Amino acid sequence: MIRTDWARGAAVALACLSAAACTDGFLHEPAAAGNARVAIIALQGVDGAEGAFDKADRLQIRVTERDGGRVLYDDAIPVAAGGGPIRASLDVDLSGRPVDASIEVGVRRGGDDLFLGEDQFTLIPGEESQVSLELRPVPSGLDVPEIPQFTTFGETFPLEGRVLFATGDEIPSARPSWSSQTPDVLAVRELPGGGYVAEALADGQGALTATFESVTESVPAPVRAVVVSAEMIPASVTLRRGESVELAPIYYDAGGSMVPGRVSDWQSQDESISEVDDTGRVLAVSVGQVDVSATHEGVSAIAQITVSDPPTVGTVGTRSVTPTGGTVGGTVNPQGLPTTVWFEYGLDPQLADAVETPRQNRSGLNPSDVVASLTGLTPGTTYYFRIIAENALGRTVSDIFSFTTPGALAAPTGLTAQRVPPAGIRIGWTDNSVGETRFEIERTAGGGPGSIVRSVGADMTAWTDPAPPVNTTAYRVRACDDDVCSAWSAPVTPPDPGPGNPAPGAPIVASLPTTFPGLGSARLGAAVSAAGASTTVRFEYGSDPQLVGAAQTTSRLLNPDATNVGIFVTVTGLNPGATIYARATATNAHGTTQGPIVAFTLPTVPSAPTNFAATGDGYGGVRLTWVDASTDESRFELQRETVPGGQVAQFAISADRELFIDDSPPPGTVRYRLRACNAIGCSGYTAWANYAGPVIPPPAEPSALTVTLLPAGGLQLDWVDNAGGGATFEIERMEVPGATVAFTAGAGSTQYIDAGPPTGLLEYRIRSCSAGVCSPWSPPVQSYYGLAPQITLGAVVNIALTSADLTADVTAFQAPTTVVFRISTDPSFMASTVLPTIDAGAGSTSLLVMGAATGLDDDTTYYVRAEATNLWGTSTSAVGTFVTLGGGD
C-alpha cells in the first residue's frame, strides 16, 4: 500500500512478514520452521523525490527484538538502480517463538542514506503479519547563494537555499533556517509569511549560517557602506582670534543612515583666516570668513567659520551743526558679527547725563558709516558725544568729542550787485546764519532813507530787483527768524550801465548748447528776448578766439513780443576736429547786445578698433577682445556671421569697452567684425575674426529665483534646478549701483545663504554651469537689505473735538516693519502718548498707514510724529501739528 502523509514527498515501504507466501501477487517460498520471512514488496518515491529514489542501489535493513535489543537481522541487500519499485525478502530466525520486533530500513546509494524509515510489529511463526514503513528524506548538503557586499546600512538581502540528497537532488519543500555569526554587523530576520532576510547593521566582514537538521553551511557577507552625503557639526561657528573649535563630520549612506568611523581629509579654504588639523580642530587666525571642509570618498561636509573680534570704531566727528541740532557720525567695523551701534551725547564732559540716539544695526567685515541726528539742542552751547558699538563678543566705546552750537543769527556778508537785462539789478550775498526763516532786502534811492523792498526765503543767496528806480544808490540785506533779525550787512552800490551791462530796452541774448548734425557741420543756438522792439539776430563764427575775420550768418527777424525765443542756424563746410568760436548778436532800436563767445571742437568719426580677436571663453561662449583706438566713440557695433550660411546678428556695445562675451553663439564656425561709432558716424569695420570650436549645449536655466530676508540677518536665495541635478550654479550679486560679487553653489543645490550682504538695494541673478558651459542668466531679482525704514508724516484728517486720524507713508525696504504715532501737547515730546503699534509688513514700496487718536482735549494744539522700526533700526518723521475743534460755551 502507498501512503502520502509526509509533505507530499514521502516514500513508503509495505512489508509482509509471514511464515508462508504473501498474497500480494508475488510467489515466495515458505520459510524454514521456526523462521519468519520479511518480504520487502514495494519501496517507491513520490511527488518530487523520485529522482533521488531512483538512484538507490541498496537497502540497509536492521531488525531487533524490542525486549532486550537482540539483533535479529542486520545486513544490506543490493537492489537494481534505475527506477520503479524495490523488491527484496529476508528470513528471520525466531527460535520457534513469537517476537515483538523493530525494523529500520535505509534506502542508500553507496554508503550514503537517501531515505530512512522504522516501525514496530510482532513476528509470529506460522502466521502472516503485515507492517507499513514511512520513509523520510535524509539531507546531505545545502545549496545557498553567494551574498554580494552590502553598501547601505539597513539594506536587506533575501536568504534562500535548497536542501540536497547525497545524490545532489533537491529535497522537496525543505528549506534551511538562517542565523548570523556576526550580529553586530548583520542581523537575520524571519519574515511573517516565511523566509529570511539579512539586514546590514555596521561595517565589517559579516558571516551567515544556513542550517537544516544536522547540515550547516557558512556564507560570507561583507558590509561596507558607501558615503553619498555629509554634514558638519556645527555647520557654522563664530570664534575670536586665537580660539579653536572641534568640528565633527557626519557621513550618510544612500539610505540616510549615519556611517561612523570614517577618516576625513581636512582642508581650510583660507589658512590665513583659520587653520585645521587632521582631527578637525579649527584655530581662528585672523578676522574673516572661511569654509572648512572634511572629505571622505569624494563627499564633503562644510562648516562656515567666522573669525571676529569686538567691533571697532573710528573717525568720529560732527557732520553738521545748527543752533538747535546737529549731525554726528563715525565708522564702525562689525568684525563679521551683527553689531548694534549708537551715540551718547550730553552737556557733561564725562557724559554722566548722556542721552542715547536710536540704535542702528550693522554687519559685515568692512567699516561702514554711522550717522545720527541730534535735535532739541540749545544755541551757543557745548555738547559732548561718543560712539558705542556692541556685538556678541563685546563692546567698544570711542573717545569723547565735543562741538558748540552756533549762537544768534549772523549778518550776511560779501554783497554783490550787477545789472541784468533788460533793466534789472541782481543782488548776491553769503549766508552766515543757521536757522533763519527769511532774508530782508533794503533799497536806498536818491538821498532818502532806505526801505525794505523784498523778503525772500531761508537759505536764499540772491535776488533780482526787476525794475529799480533810476536813482537807486545802494542795497543791504539782513537775516531774520520769527522773532529777531541780524544786523544789516554792509551796503553794496549797483554798477553804472556800461559794457557787459545791457542798456535799458536792448535785446537779451543767452547762448544755447551747440550740436553737431553731421560731419563738418554745427548747429549754433541762442535764446533771445526782443524787449518790446523788432529785433534782428545773426551769428558770427570762425577760428579766431576774438572772432577777427569771422563769418556771419544771415540775420533773422524777431517780433517785438518775442521772449526767450530759440534761434538756431546750421553752418557747414567746417573741418572735423577744428576748434570754432561763435556768438550771437541781437539789435533793436534801443541797442545791440552781444552774447558770450563760445568755443567748440567739431567731432570726428572715431578711429577703428585694433587687435580684434575671437577665442573661446571656456563656458561655451566666444570671448572677443580689441584695443580701443578712439576717445570719442559713443558705442561699438559688433557684427556676427555664420560660415557658411551668412546668418547675420548685430550687437551694440557701450563705449570704452575692450571685451565682449558672446554667450550664445550658433553651432559651427562663426566670424566677427567690429567698428566704433558716435553721433557723427562710424569707423570702418575691423577685419573678420573667425572662431570655430565645439559649442556645447548649455544646461537648462534655473527658474523661480526668490530672495528672502532671514530673521537673524542675511538673505536666502531659492530657485528651481532645471538642469537635472548635474550642474553647479553661479550667482551674481550687484549693488544698485555698485560692485558685482560672484558666488557658487554645488551641484543639485536649490538654496544659497548670503550671510553678509551689503546695505542697500541689491540685485541677484543665477545660472547653471556644466562641463564648462553655462546657461543664460535668470531674470534678476531685487531685494533691499540693511536699510532702516523710511517714514514721512502725512496729513491729519477727520479732526474733531476729541479725536483725529493720523497718517504716514512708510517704506519697509523688505524687512518686517512696525509703525507708531507719538502725540503730545509739548513740542519737545517730553511727555507724550504712543498710539497702538501698526504692522506695516515688509514691502518695498510706500505704504499709507493710519492711526486713530482719541480722548483729546478740544481747542488744543497737538504735536505729532511717526516712528518706524525694523530689524535695521528706527526712523522718525518730521514733527507735524494740528488743532482740535473748539467746543464753544
Side-chain angles (χ1 to χ4, degrees), residues 798-876:
N798 302 326
I799 301 173
L801 293 173
T802 61
S803 64
D805 290 333
L806 316 177
T807 67
D809 290 298
V810 59
T811 303
F813 295 121
Q814 292 179 250
T817 297
T818 58
V819 176
V820 296
F821 289 98
R822 190 180 298 274
I823 188 171
S824 177
T825 57
D826 177 6
S828 65
F829 289 87
M830 296 300 290
S832 62
T833 299
V834 178
L835 301 189
T837 299
I838 302 168
D839 184 0
S844 58
T845 57
S846 178
L847 176 69
L848 177 66
V849 296
M850 178 178 291
T854 59
L856 307 180
D857 295 329
D858 66 314
D859 196 19
T860 301
T861 298
Y862 283 93
Y863 299 86
V864 61
R865 70 185 184 202
E867 299 170 1
T869 301
N870 68 11
L871 176 65
W872 313 112
T874 298
S875 301
T876 303

Side-chain angles (χ1 to χ4, degrees), residues 694-721:
V695 180
I696 303 172
E701 175 185 340
S703 60
L705 177 64
T706 61
V707 182
T708 306
L709 174 66
L710 298 174
L715 295 172
Q716 177 176 306
L717 280 67
D718 294 274
W719 62 89
V720 174
D721 174 11

Side-chain angles (χ1 to χ4, degrees), residues 501-846:
N501 296 313
I508 301 171
V509 179
S511 63
L512 295 175
T514 303
T515 60
F516 307 98
L519 189 65
S521 63
R523 187 170 185 256
L524 310 178
V528 181
S529 295
S534 296
T535 298
T536 59
V537 182
R538 59 182 170 80
F539 290 91
E540 300 173 89
Y541 64 95
S543 59
D544 183 75
Q546 303 303 319
L547 293 176
V548 175
Q552 296 186 3
T553 65
T554 302
S555 296
R556 298 275 300 275
L557 180 64
L558 291 182
N559 294 327
D561 59 352
T563 301
N564 203 31
V565 174
I567 302 297
F568 299 95
V569 174
T570 298
V571 296
T572 59
L574 306 177
N575 294 323
T579 299
I580 302 297
Y581 302 88
R583 71 180 170 198
T585 299
T587 302
N588 67 11
H590 302 290
T592 296
T593 302
Q594 290 183 326
I597 296 176
V598 296
F600 57 86
T601 299
L602 289 160
T604 60
V605 174
S607 301
T610 63
N611 297 83
F612 183 59
T615 57
D617 71 344
Y619 294 95
V622 180
R623 177 186 177 90
L624 302 163
T625 58
W626 63 90
V627 174
D628 182 3
S630 178
T631 59
D632 58 352
E633 80 276 355
S634 60
R635 70 188 186 280
F636 290 100
E637 291 183 353
L638 176 70
Q639 192 175 83
R640 183 186 71 201
E641 184 176 79
T642 59
V643 180
Q647 294 181 354
V648 177
Q650 298 284 144
F651 303 88
I653 304 171
S654 57
D656 302 323
R657 295 277 298 276
E658 293 185 332
L659 170 68
F660 179 77
I661 304 295
D662 185 1
D663 287 323
S664 303
T669 300
V670 291
R671 64 179 187 171
Y672 300 85
R673 62 180 182 175
L674 184 73
R675 65 181 181 182
C677 300
N678 61 16
I680 301 303
C682 296
S683 71
Y685 277 109
T686 65
W688 288 103
N690 292 342
Y691 175 76
V695 180
I696 303 172
E701 175 185 340
S703 60
L705 177 64
T706 61
V707 182
T708 306
L709 174 66
L710 298 174
L715 295 172
Q716 177 176 306
L717 280 67
D718 294 274
W719 62 89
V720 174
D721 174 11
N722 297 316
T728 58
F729 297 92
E730 292 183 356
I731 302 167
E732 280 192 352
R733 180 191 71 204
M734 183 180 74
E735 299 176 49
V736 183
T740 298
V741 179
F743 309 96
T744 59
S749 301
T750 57
Q751 187 180 93
Y752 180 86
I753 304 298
D754 189 357
T759 298
L761 178 60
L762 307 175
E763 185 172 277
Y764 291 86
R765 63 178 185 172
I766 186 171
R767 66 180 180 180
S768 55
C769 298
S770 177
V773 181
C774 295
S775 73
W777 289 103
S778 70
V781 176
Q782 290 188 337
S783 177
Y784 288 99
Y785 185 80
L787 296 179
Q790 184 180 78
I791 190 160
T792 303
L793 187 66
V796 182
V797 298
N798 302 326
I799 301 173
L801 293 173
T802 61
S803 64
D805 290 333
L806 316 177
T807 67
D809 290 298
V810 59
T811 303
F813 295 121
Q814 292 179 250
T817 297
T818 58
V819 176
V820 296
F821 289 98
R822 190 180 298 274
I823 188 171
S824 177
T825 57
D826 177 6
S828 65
F829 289 87
M830 296 300 290
S832 62
T833 299
V834 178
L835 301 189
T837 299
I838 302 168
D839 184 0
S844 58
T845 57
S846 178

